[in-house]
């Protein structure tokens, strides 16, 4: 899987497998993964962590992976502004298992790639 250098949405079969494939392409010290460790649902607490992480200044590009099979509406709504106008050097990569798990307002703000493979 290729290195992605701009904020985007990746629609994938398996989030963990995709992370395993992608992460070796990114610098460890400037890559963050934000996901719910208990469920595959991205909640408001994860959105808050992502926003805080995005505002920690960095002179290098920082890649923030937001991972969840589903994203709660309140989490998505809290991410809207930062996805539309991210701080300098911040790249958001959303890993989801379905386009339908995102609100149209999120989906319209970022380019997406459907990487799902028919099994």
């Amino acid at each position: 899987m290729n290195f992605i250098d701009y904020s985007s949405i990746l629609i994938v079969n398996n989030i963990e497998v995709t992370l395993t494939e992608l992460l070796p392409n990114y610098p460890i010290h400037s890559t963050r993964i934000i996901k719910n460790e208990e469920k595959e649902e991205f909640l408001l607490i994860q959105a808050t962590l992502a926003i805080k992480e995005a505002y920690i200044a960095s002179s290098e590009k920082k890649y923030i992976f937001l991972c969840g099979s589903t994203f709660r509406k309140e989490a998505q709504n809290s991410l809207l502004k930062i996805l539309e106008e991210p701080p300098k050097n911040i790249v958001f990569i959303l890993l989801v298992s379905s386009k339908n798990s995102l609100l149209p307002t999120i989906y319209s703000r970022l380019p997406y790639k459907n990487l799902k493979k028919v099994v």
Side-chain angles (χ1 to χ4, degrees):
M1 192 166 300
N2 295 340
F3 178 77
I4 296 166
D5 198 31
Y6 51 89
S7 290
S8 57
I9 299 167
L10 302 180
I11 303 162
V12 300
N13 290 83
N14 185 304
I15 291 167
E16 291 302 320
V17 169
T18 304
L19 274 175
T20 303
E21 293 171 357
L22 280 176
L23 290 177
N25 299 311
Y26 291 86
I28 290 174
H29 64 281
S30 58
T31 301
R32 305 290 180 272
I33 300 163
I34 299 179
K35 62 182 180 174
N36 186 339
E37 296 298 335
E38 294 161 23
K39 295 194 263 181
E40 291 192 10
E41 187 173 36
F42 195 91
L43 304 173
L44 185 57
I45 191 161
Q46 281 83 38
T48 303
L49 287 170
I51 292 166
K52 285 180 182 175
E53 184 63 46
Y55 283 114
I56 297 173
S58 176
S59 58
E60 298 176 8
K61 262 192 184 172
K62 186 190 305 183
Y63 302 91
I64 302 176
F65 286 83
L66 308 178
C67 307
S69 289
T70 58
F71 278 62
R72 293 289 290 265
K73 281 185 181 175
E74 58 271 19
Q76 293 181 68
N77 285 328
S78 71
L79 290 169
L80 276 174
K81 184 168 175 35
I82 201 160
L83 291 175
E84 193 169 40
E85 299 172 14
K88 186 177 187 223
N89 293 329
I90 299 297
V91 175
F92 287 103
I93 300 172
L94 281 71
L95 293 178
V96 299
S97 50
S98 169
K99 168 187 171 182
N100 297 333
S101 67
L102 296 175
L103 295 171
T105 49
I106 294 282
Y107 201 69
S108 67
R109 280 171 170 70
L110 297 173
Y112 68 91
K113 287 186 179 183
N114 188 341
L115 301 175
K116 278 195 156 188
K117 295 178 179 89
V118 179
V119 199

